[in-house]
Amino acid sequence: MRPTVHDIAAAAGVSLATVDRVLNQRPGVRHVTREKVETAIRELGYIRDVAAANLAKGRTYPLVFILPASDNSFMHGLNAEIRQAVLRSPAERTDIRTIEVPAFDPAALVSVLEELSREKPCGIAMVATDAPEVRAAVDKLVRERFPIVTLVSDLTGSLRHHYAGVDNIAAGRTAARLLGRFLGPRKGEIAVLAGSMLVRDHRERLEGFAAVMAAEFPHLAILPVLEGRDDPEVAHRLVADALGNAGIIGVYSLGAGNRGLIRALKEKTVDRTLTVIAHELTAHTRAALVDNTIDAILNQDAGHEVRSAIRVLKAKADGLAVIEAQERIRLDIFLKDNLP
Amino acid sequence: MRPTVHDIAAAAGVSLATVDRVLNQRPGVRHVTREKVETAIRELGYIRDVAAANLAKGRTYPLVFILPASDNSFMHGLNAEIRQAVLRSPAERTDIRTIEVPAFDPAALVSVLEELSREKPCGIAMVATDAPEVRAAVDKLVRERFPIVTLVSDLTGSLRHHYAGVDNIAAGRTAARLLGRFLGPRKGEIAVLAGSMLVRDHRERLEGFAAVMAAEFPHLAILPVLEGRDDPEVAHRLVADALGNAGIIGVYSLGAGNRGLIRALKEKTVDRTLTVIAHELTAHTRAALVDNTIDAILNQDAGHEVRSAIRVLKAKADGLAVIEAQERIRLDIFLKDNLP
DNA sequence: CTGTTAGCGCGTTCAC
DNA sequence: GTGAACGCGCTAACAG
């Protein structure tokens, strides 16, 4: 049988209450007594039963998700996954609240973070906007011992405990290699459609993409980036314009708002030799992959990201370790053959 | 607050014991009483606290993993993941035992399954060998209410509750498209290296591969399959021989034993225009991907498979639902840019 | 058939 | 500083 607090108490010659104080690092124990208990814990190989502890405490995990108020399929999907998690709350003892903040607005994000400091959730998951003041606000919360996980978009250089999202540089590099290999020795130009260069994940994807393109596919020229603001209408106009250029043989769409891209591509049915790589699997991109308008989709699994963020926050709140491999968010590559 | 058994008991006007009997479908309750309790459960929206129940029962989940005694990297990796799960056992209340059976030996597998019927584990995960007698043995166990999950290799047509592995037909199709797209318009022959056509997952990969090749890349001809028995030495000899054929421009390795394949490829450095797709990310295939000997690796995450099998078996043992999306084992596609 | 009671492993009052 | 006693939500004897 696994040792329990009783065994520890007996071994250390103290009472249950004292063991408990030591376990939960509470004051009111003499130094020598504490040592005795800690020795017993080590020697018996005691492992605390978190489930029993939570039962006794009636513990729940109040968690906050901070998301940008963006109206694109990916954010809708992320929201849906959070709602699924809310449905599981009773079983997981979580108590999840979502806060929407204006997108690309560091000030708004900071003020929400400051409020949270008073609310005392036991963990915060946030889609980070990359700005110094946000970094400062996050670091402050971390120092106040709030577990914080960035979601989808990271805040490099901050003290956040964990990032639940894909490696966007690797994603860009992968897109470049797929495009380069699919195009083979053909020479030509590549159009790149992004949401905004103000968002870190988009910048990183472009960075990785450009690096591999330059190093390994120098016969392909990257055209100036089109910023579609993740808006289907804007994207459509930009891409339709750009496709006037007959030299284009490939497209990399690294942001959201692919509905517009796809429409522009279909209107351009004359030359169906365009090779296209896009991000995020949605109903639209999926259909486009199936009908050969898109050649490959790079994706991050929003469900995995949300579940992972919750697991990590709970673990941090309890001071427990996580299974690293399980929390690594993979870059999914979908061709029409391996769609889920 | 969430309703508890006490609330149910009060609402139904019975005692805790009766509520418990109803909850656990135990006999000794009159039909009308049972109805009353069930009504109360429904009306109060009662959700059972599994953690508390397990605490009270001192419950553990004795699980058995049945693996083939194969000496290749993938099986070693799978074994390692199971050992990791064993280390987590105290926290997860599992009690995991591994049984090795001779590979490709239906009779041995059946006899192990028959023994298990007496041992009464609360769940069985098995790498299935595809044979009618195995199917019969599995179906018998399922009828005796043992939760059974197939791992890595499925047993189609059986009553197993779940399959924790990738869709191998999709994997083969994906390999074909990658190879076809990477090769572009070049004409030539494709060598295929398998372990054995007696194993279902290898057959399925080939089936998917051949289908897409025939339909979409008719200018590429598939040569007769080389069966390397997942043995590096055999694979090396077969591939080295085959590469004497100058018409070969691509290789698909759909089984294990890639060490031999890679050696053969490196010896053939004269023509470095071969495009190669292989299965399973191991130290060897990884190195070969990095040094451009291999162009893409298709992989199944053994860690995910093991963790998923455990989650599913526990859920089935408790009669609970699983999160389907979480238990879907994805086909990982690795290029040198997105290696973990 | 049904109810009472004593725990499971832990946290938390309160006394001492 | 320390300890005894009760309760978290549920199950399992044992009475009745």
Side-chain angles (χ1 to χ4, degrees):
Chain A
M1 268 311 269
R2 242 167 87 173
T4 74
V5 275
H6 289 94
D7 304 321
I8 306 293
V14 297
S15 80
L16 291 178
T18 304
V19 174
D20 188 65
R21 288 186 192 102
V22 174
L23 281 174
N24 294 294
Q25 342 221 35
R26 264 187 305 246
V29 186
R30 249 186 324 175
H31 194 70
V32 280
T33 318
R34 183 176 296 271
E35 299 260 280
K36 268 196 306 191
V37 174
E38 279 168 352
T39 308
I41 289 176
R42 230 174 304 114
E43 286 183 349
L44 298 188
Y46 170 79
I47 308 169
R48 177 220 222 94
D49 185 331
V50 186
N54 283 345
L55 173 60
K57 276 195 288 209
R59 160 151 214 176
T60 58
Y61 298 80
L63 303 178
V64 173
F65 276 75
I66 309 178
L67 308 181
S70 301
D71 182 39
N72 58 294
S73 301
F74 179 74
M75 279 304 157
H76 290 164
L78 196 64
N79 250 306
E81 291 295 344
I82 295 175
R83 282 195 299 276
Q84 289 299 311
V86 169
L87 294 181
R88 292 191 302 269
S89 275
E92 300 179 347
R93 307 188 87 91
T94 54
D95 177 12
I96 298 173
R97 192 162 83 83
T98 303
I99 302 179
E100 294 218 330
V101 296
F104 315 135
D105 184 343
L109 187 48
V110 167
S111 87
V112 166
L113 289 173
E114 281 168 355
E115 264 181 61
L116 249 34
S117 165
R118 264 161 271 129
E119 179 175 328
K120 308 268 176 235
C122 84
I124 300 170
M126 57 184 288
V127 177
T129 300
D130 189 25
E133 56 267 45
V134 176
R135 211 174 320 259
V138 165
D139 287 358
K140 180 158 169 290
L141 286 174
V142 171
R143 289 209 187 81
E144 292 170 12
R145 321 217 131 277
F146 286 95
I148 299 196
V149 165
T150 49
L151 195 67
V152 178
S153 190
D154 197 9
L155 202 54
T156 326
S158 74
L159 298 173
R160 91 282 183 281
H161 297 90
H162 179 84
Y163 165 52
V166 297
D167 177 341
N168 285 301
I169 295 183
R173 295 180 60 91
T174 304
R177 189 170 311 273
L178 278 177
L179 198 54
R181 292 298 304 261
F182 281 3
L183 285 170
R186 290 173 63 197
K187 276 190 208 305
E189 294 172 337
I190 307 296
V192 176
L193 174 67
S196 159
M197 282 299 103
L198 294 175
V199 206
R200 177 171 206 99
D201 43 348
H202 289 196
R203 278 209 314 280
E204 289 184 343
R205 287 175 191 175
L206 180 61
E207 178 189 335
F209 184 78
V212 168
M213 273 295 172
E216 311 210 24
F217 305 98
H219 54 288
L220 297 174
I222 303 182
L223 296 174
V225 175
L226 309 172
E227 295 193 48
R229 301 206 55 76
D230 289 357
D231 178 318
E233 291 309 317
V234 183
H236 173 258
R237 190 166 40 72
L238 290 173
V239 175
D241 274 8
L243 290 183
N245 174 347
I248 295 181
I249 60 174
V251 178
Y252 176 37
S253 167
L254 55 78
N258 282 315
R259 220 157 51 237
L261 163 76
I262 293 167
R263 190 148 59 84
L265 289 170
K266 295 209 176 183
E267 287 162 4
K268 202 71 188 172
T269 37
V270 257
D271 59 23
R272 268 293 64 240
T273 57
L274 228 45
T275 297
V276 182
I277 313 267
H279 271 264
E280 315 311 354
L281 184 67
T282 63
H284 303 104
T285 55
R286 184 190 184 98
L289 183 64
V290 169
D291 73 16
N292 295 317
T293 304
I294 292 181
D295 297 274
I297 294 174
L298 304 187
N299 187 62
Q300 51 188 323
D301 186 325
H304 189 182
E305 290 174 335
V306 169
R307 290 187 295 269
S308 176
I310 293 172
R311 275 194 303 263
V312 171
L313 288 176
K314 286 176 72 174
K316 295 294 175 194
D318 290 336
L320 298 176
V322 299
I323 306 172
E324 285 301 336
Q326 178 169 230
E327 308 312 345
R328 209 188 132 255
I329 307 296
R330 284 174 290 193
L331 175 68
D332 289 327
I333 303 176
F334 292 117
L335 305 184
K336 60 193 295 192
D337 309 291
N338 66 329
L339 281 169
Chain B
M1 269 310 270
R2 243 166 85 174
T4 74
V5 274
H6 290 95
D7 303 322
I8 306 294
V14 297
S15 77
L16 288 180
T18 303
V19 174
D20 188 63
R21 288 187 190 102
V22 174
L23 281 173
N24 294 292
Q25 345 220 33
R26 265 187 305 246
V29 186
R30 245 188 328 175
H31 194 70
V32 279
T33 318
R34 183 175 297 271
E35 299 259 280
K36 268 196 305 189
V37 174
E38 279 167 350
T39 308
I41 289 176
R42 230 175 303 113
E43 286 184 348
L44 297 188
Y46 170 79
I47 309 170
R48 181 219 220 95
D49 183 330
V50 186
N54 283 346
L55 174 61
K57 276 193 285 207
R59 159 150 217 181
T60 58
Y61 298 81
L63 302 179
V64 173
F65 276 76
I66 309 176
L67 308 181
S70 300
D71 182 39
N72 59 296
S73 301
F74 179 74
M75 278 304 158
H76 291 163
L78 196 65
N79 250 304
E81 292 294 345
I82 295 175
R83 282 195 300 276
Q84 289 299 312
V86 169
L87 294 180
R88 293 191 301 270
S89 276
E92 299 179 347
R93 308 189 87 93
T94 53
D95 178 12
I96 298 173
R97 193 163 83 84
T98 303
I99 302 178
E100 293 219 330
V101 295
F104 315 135
D105 184 343
L109 186 50
V110 168
S111 87
V112 166
L113 289 172
E114 280 168 356
E115 266 180 59
L116 250 32
S117 164
R118 265 162 270 127
E119 181 176 325
K120 308 268 176 233
C122 85
I124 301 170
M126 57 184 289
V127 177
T129 300
D130 189 25
E133 55 266 47
V134 175
R135 211 175 319 263
V138 164
D139 286 357
K140 180 158 169 290
L141 285 173
V142 170
R143 289 211 187 78
E144 292 170 12
R145 320 216 130 276
F146 287 95
I148 298 195
V149 165
T150 49
L151 195 66
V152 179
S153 190
D154 197 10
L155 201 56
T156 327
S158 74
L159 297 174
R160 93 278 185 282
H161 296 91
H162 180 83
Y163 165 52
V166 298
D167 177 341
N168 285 301
I169 295 182
R173 295 181 59 92
T174 303
R177 189 170 311 272
L178 278 177
L179 199 54
R181 292 298 304 260
F182 281 4
L183 285 169
R186 292 173 63 197
K187 275 189 210 302
E189 293 173 338
I190 307 296
V192 176
L193 173 68
S196 159
M197 283 300 103
L198 294 174
V199 207
R200 178 171 203 101
D201 42 350
H202 290 195
R203 277 210 314 278
E204 288 184 342
R205 287 175 190 175
L206 179 62
E207 178 189 335
F209 183 78
V212 169
M213 273 296 173
E216 311 209 24
F217 306 98
H219 53 289
L220 298 173
I222 302 181
L223 295 174
V225 175
L226 308 171
E227 294 193 48
R229 301 207 53 77
D230 290 355
D231 178 319
E233 293 309 317
V234 181
H236 174 258
R237 188 166 42 69
L238 289 173
V239 175
D241 274 9
L243 290 183
N245 174 349
I248 294 182
I249 60 173
V251 178
Y252 176 39
S253 167
L254 56 78
N258 282 315
R259 221 156 53 236
L261 163 75
I262 293 168
R263 188 148 62 82
L265 289 171
K266 296 209 175 185
E267 287 161 5
K268 203 69 188 171
T269 38
V270 258
D271 58 24
R272 269 292 64 242
T273 57
L274 227 47
T275 297
V276 182
I277 312 264
H279 271 264
E280 314 312 353
L281 184 68
T282 65
H284 304 105
T285 54
R286 184 190 183 96
L289 183 63
V290 170
D291 73 14
N292 295 317
T293 304
I294 292 180
D295 297 274
I297 295 173
L298 303 188
N299 187 62
Q300 52 187 323
D301 186 326
H304 189 182
E305 289 174 336
V306 169
R307 290 188 295 270
S308 175
I310 294 172
R311 275 194 302 263
V312 172
L313 287 177
K314 286 176 73 174
K316 296 292 176 196
D318 291 335
L320 298 176
V322 299
I323 307 173
E324 285 301 336
Q326 179 169 229
E327 310 311 345
R328 208 189 134 254
I329 307 296
R330 283 173 291 192
L331 176 68
D332 290 327
I333 303 176
F334 292 117
L335 305 184
K336 59 194 295 192
D337 308 289
N338 65 328
L339 281 169

PDB file of all heavy atoms in Angstrom, chain A residues 120-139:
ATOM      1  N   LYS A 120      -7.901  37.020  -8.242  1.00  0.00           N
ATOM      2  CA  LYS A 120      -7.268  35.799  -7.725  1.00  0.00           C
ATOM      3  C   LYS A 120      -7.741  34.492  -8.356  1.00  0.00           C
ATOM      4  O   LYS A 120      -8.160  33.569  -7.641  1.00  0.00           O
ATOM      5  CB  LYS A 120      -7.481  35.673  -6.196  1.00  0.00           C
ATOM      6  CG  LYS A 120      -7.072  36.899  -5.405  1.00  0.00           C
ATOM      7  CD  LYS A 120      -5.656  36.817  -4.945  1.00  0.00           C
ATOM      8  CE  LYS A 120      -5.226  38.097  -4.236  1.00  0.00           C
ATOM      9  NZ  LYS A 120      -4.014  38.681  -4.834  1.00  0.00           N
ATOM     10  N   PRO A 121      -7.711  34.384  -9.662  1.00  0.00           N
ATOM     11  CA  PRO A 121      -7.960  33.070 -10.260  1.00  0.00           C
ATOM     12  C   PRO A 121      -6.741  32.202  -9.954  1.00  0.00           C
ATOM     13  O   PRO A 121      -5.692  32.728  -9.580  1.00  0.00           O
ATOM     14  CB  PRO A 121      -8.034  33.372 -11.754  1.00  0.00           C
ATOM     15  CG  PRO A 121      -7.174  34.577 -11.932  1.00  0.00           C
ATOM     16  CD  PRO A 121      -7.313  35.378 -10.665  1.00  0.00           C
ATOM     17  N   CYS A 122      -6.869  30.885 -10.119  1.00  0.00           N
ATOM     18  CA  CYS A 122      -5.693  30.069  -9.810  1.00  0.00           C
ATOM     19  C   CYS A 122      -4.876  29.799 -11.051  1.00  0.00           C
ATOM     20  O   CYS A 122      -3.893  29.062 -11.004  1.00  0.00           O
ATOM     21  CB  CYS A 122      -6.078  28.793  -9.076  1.00  0.00           C
ATOM     22  SG  CYS A 122      -6.568  27.478 -10.151  1.00  0.00           S
ATOM     23  N   GLY A 123      -5.262  30.433 -12.162  1.00  0.00           N
ATOM     24  CA  GLY A 123      -4.480  30.292 -13.376  1.00  0.00           C
ATOM     25  C   GLY A 123      -5.039  31.150 -14.495  1.00  0.00           C
ATOM     26  O   GLY A 123      -6.242  31.411 -14.543  1.00  0.00           O
ATOM     27  N   ILE A 124      -4.149  31.594 -15.394  1.00  0.00           N
ATOM     28  CA  ILE A 124      -4.560  32.469 -16.493  1.00  0.00           C
ATOM     29  C   ILE A 124      -3.979  31.944 -17.801  1.00  0.00           C
ATOM     30  O   ILE A 124      -2.789  31.671 -17.890  1.00  0.00           O
ATOM     31  CB  ILE A 124      -4.035  33.903 -16.271  1.00  0.00           C
ATOM     32  CG1 ILE A 124      -4.585  34.473 -14.956  1.00  0.00           C
ATOM     33  CG2 ILE A 124      -4.405  34.805 -17.446  1.00  0.00           C
ATOM     34  CD1 ILE A 124      -3.936  35.783 -14.543  1.00  0.00           C
ATOM     35  N   ALA A 125      -4.851  31.795 -18.801  1.00  0.00           N
ATOM     36  CA  ALA A 125      -4.392  31.438 -20.146  1.00  0.00           C
ATOM     37  C   ALA A 125      -4.718  32.611 -21.051  1.00  0.00           C
ATOM     38  O   ALA A 125      -5.839  33.113 -21.031  1.00  0.00           O
ATOM     39  CB  ALA A 125      -5.100  30.182 -20.641  1.00  0.00           C
ATOM     40  N   MET A 126      -3.750  33.065 -21.822  1.00  0.00           N
ATOM     41  CA  MET A 126      -3.999  34.263 -22.633  1.00  0.00           C
ATOM     42  C   MET A 126      -3.376  34.172 -24.013  1.00  0.00           C
ATOM     43  O   MET A 126      -2.281  33.649 -24.190  1.00  0.00           O
ATOM     44  CB  MET A 126      -3.426  35.481 -21.929  1.00  0.00           C
ATOM     45  CG  MET A 126      -1.947  35.369 -21.638  1.00  0.00           C
ATOM     46  SD  MET A 126      -1.314  36.772 -20.689  1.00  0.00           S
ATOM     47  CE  MET A 126      -1.351  38.054 -21.910  1.00  0.00           C
ATOM     48  N   VAL A 127      -4.118  34.673 -24.995  1.00  0.00           N
ATOM     49  CA  VAL A 127      -3.537  34.866 -26.316  1.00  0.00           C
ATOM     50  C   VAL A 127      -2.786  36.189 -26.214  1.00  0.00           C
ATOM     51  O   VAL A 127      -3.400  37.249 -26.087  1.00  0.00           O
ATOM     52  CB  VAL A 127      -4.625  34.945 -27.399  1.00  0.00           C
ATOM     53  CG1 VAL A 127      -3.998  35.213 -28.758  1.00  0.00           C
ATOM     54  CG2 VAL A 127      -5.422  33.651 -27.432  1.00  0.00           C
ATOM     55  N   ALA A 128      -1.467  36.118 -26.245  1.00  0.00           N
ATOM     56  CA  ALA A 128      -0.666  37.305 -25.952  1.00  0.00           C
ATOM     57  C   ALA A 128      -0.566  38.256 -27.139  1.00  0.00           C
ATOM     58  O   ALA A 128      -0.472  37.835 -28.288  1.00  0.00           O
ATOM     59  CB  ALA A 128       0.717  36.891 -25.517  1.00  0.00           C
ATOM     60  N   THR A 129      -0.641  39.521 -26.824  1.00  0.00           N
ATOM     61  CA  THR A 129      -0.269  40.546 -27.796  1.00  0.00           C
ATOM     62  C   THR A 129       1.150  40.942 -27.430  1.00  0.00           C
ATOM     63  O   THR A 129       1.451  41.210 -26.267  1.00  0.00           O
ATOM     64  CB  THR A 129      -1.196  41.772 -27.698  1.00  0.00           C
ATOM     65  OG1 THR A 129      -2.529  41.355 -27.944  1.00  0.00           O
ATOM     66  CG2 THR A 129      -0.788  42.829 -28.722  1.00  0.00           C
ATOM     67  N   ASP A 130       2.017  40.968 -28.417  1.00  0.00           N
ATOM     68  CA  ASP A 130       3.446  41.111 -28.142  1.00  0.00           C
ATOM     69  C   ASP A 130       3.833  42.577 -27.962  1.00  0.00           C
ATOM     70  O   ASP A 130       4.099  43.283 -28.927  1.00  0.00           O
ATOM     71  CB  ASP A 130       4.213  40.500 -29.310  1.00  0.00           C
ATOM     72  CG  ASP A 130       5.694  40.412 -29.004  1.00  0.00           C
ATOM     73  OD1 ASP A 130       6.045  40.365 -27.815  1.00  0.00           O
ATOM     74  OD2 ASP A 130       6.476  40.397 -29.962  1.00  0.00           O
ATOM     75  N   ALA A 131       3.861  43.030 -26.706  1.00  0.00           N
ATOM     76  CA  ALA A 131       4.236  44.414 -26.437  1.00  0.00           C
ATOM     77  C   ALA A 131       4.918  44.474 -25.071  1.00  0.00           C
ATOM     78  O   ALA A 131       4.606  43.676 -24.187  1.00  0.00           O
ATOM     79  CB  ALA A 131       3.004  45.310 -26.450  1.00  0.00           C
ATOM     80  N   PRO A 132       5.820  45.418 -24.892  1.00  0.00           N
ATOM     81  CA  PRO A 132       6.575  45.497 -23.641  1.00  0.00           C
ATOM     82  C   PRO A 132       5.684  45.653 -22.421  1.00  0.00           C
ATOM     83  O   PRO A 132       5.914  45.023 -21.384  1.00  0.00           O
ATOM     84  CB  PRO A 132       7.440  46.753 -23.829  1.00  0.00           C
ATOM     85  CG  PRO A 132       7.482  46.997 -25.287  1.00  0.00           C
ATOM     86  CD  PRO A 132       6.219  46.456 -25.862  1.00  0.00           C
ATOM     87  N   GLU A 133       4.638  46.465 -22.540  1.00  0.00           N
ATOM     88  CA  GLU A 133       3.793  46.685 -21.371  1.00  0.00           C
ATOM     89  C   GLU A 133       3.030  45.410 -20.991  1.00  0.00           C
ATOM     90  O   GLU A 133       2.773  45.150 -19.817  1.00  0.00           O
ATOM     91  CB  GLU A 133       2.829  47.860 -21.595  1.00  0.00           C
ATOM     92  CG  GLU A 133       1.939  47.759 -22.822  1.00  0.00           C
ATOM     93  CD  GLU A 133       2.527  48.444 -24.041  1.00  0.00           C
ATOM     94  OE1 GLU A 133       3.750  48.241 -24.297  1.00  0.00           O
ATOM     95  OE2 GLU A 133       1.796  49.166 -24.738  1.00  0.00           O
ATOM     96  N   VAL A 134       2.699  44.592 -22.001  1.00  0.00           N
ATOM     97  CA  VAL A 134       2.039  43.321 -21.708  1.00  0.00           C
ATOM     98  C   VAL A 134       3.019  42.397 -20.985  1.00  0.00           C
ATOM     99  O   VAL A 134       2.683  41.761 -19.980  1.00  0.00           O
ATOM    100  CB  VAL A 134       1.541  42.642 -23.003  1.00  0.00           C
ATOM    101  CG1 VAL A 134       0.954  41.271 -22.690  1.00  0.00           C
ATOM    102  CG2 VAL A 134       0.514  43.516 -23.699  1.00  0.00           C
ATOM    103  N   ARG A 135       4.220  42.366 -21.489  1.00  0.00           N
ATOM    104  CA  ARG A 135       5.264  41.554 -20.869  1.00  0.00           C
ATOM    105  C   ARG A 135       5.426  41.944 -19.399  1.00  0.00           C
ATOM    106  O   ARG A 135       5.501  41.099 -18.509  1.00  0.00           O
ATOM    107  CB  ARG A 135       6.580  41.770 -21.609  1.00  0.00           C
ATOM    108  CG  ARG A 135       7.510  40.571 -21.632  1.00  0.00           C
ATOM    109  CD  ARG A 135       8.716  40.870 -22.531  1.00  0.00           C
ATOM    110  NE  ARG A 135       8.316  41.595 -23.733  1.00  0.00           N
ATOM    111  CZ  ARG A 135       8.150  41.052 -24.918  1.00  0.00           C
ATOM    112  NH1 ARG A 135       8.369  39.775 -25.072  1.00  0.00           N
ATOM    113  NH2 ARG A 135       7.768  41.769 -25.956  1.00  0.00           N
ATOM    114  N   ALA A 136       5.465  43.242 -19.142  1.00  0.00           N
ATOM    115  CA  ALA A 136       5.636  43.734 -17.769  1.00  0.00           C
ATOM    116  C   ALA A 136       4.467  43.284 -16.888  1.00  0.00           C
ATOM    117  O   ALA A 136       4.660  42.812 -15.764  1.00  0.00           O
ATOM    118  CB  ALA A 136       5.751  45.254 -17.773  1.00  0.00           C
ATOM    119  N   ALA A 137       3.261  43.403 -17.431  1.00  0.00           N
ATOM    120  CA  ALA A 137       2.084  43.027 -16.645  1.00  0.00           C
ATOM    121  C   ALA A 137       2.101  41.527 -16.339  1.00  0.00           C
ATOM    122  O   ALA A 137       1.766  41.101 -15.225  1.00  0.00           O
ATOM    123  CB  ALA A 137       0.810  43.402 -17.406  1.00  0.00           C
ATOM    124  N   VAL A 138       2.490  40.741 -17.329  1.00  0.00           N
ATOM    125  CA  VAL A 138       2.559  39.290 -17.125  1.00  0.00           C
ATOM    126  C   VAL A 138       3.614  38.955 -16.073  1.00  0.00           C
ATOM    127  O   VAL A 138       3.365  38.171 -15.144  1.00  0.00           O
ATOM    128  CB  VAL A 138       2.885  38.567 -18.455  1.00  0.00           C
ATOM    129  CG1 VAL A 138       3.323  37.127 -18.193  1.00  0.00           C
ATOM    130  CG2 VAL A 138       1.672  38.595 -19.374  1.00  0.00           C
ATOM    131  N   ASP A 139       4.781  39.558 -16.216  1.00  0.00           N
ATOM    132  CA  ASP A 139       5.856  39.271 -15.256  1.00  0.00           C
ATOM    133  C   ASP A 139       5.423  39.612 -13.831  1.00  0.00           C
ATOM    134  O   ASP A 139       5.726  38.901 -12.883  1.00  0.00           O
ATOM    135  CB  ASP A 139       7.121  40.058 -15.624  1.00  0.00           C
ATOM    136  CG  ASP A 139       7.804  39.463 -16.856  1.00  0.00           C
ATOM    137  OD1 ASP A 139       7.292  38.445 -17.365  1.00  0.00           O
ATOM    138  OD2 ASP A 139       8.813  40.017 -17.306  1.00  0.00           O
TER     139      ASP A 139
END
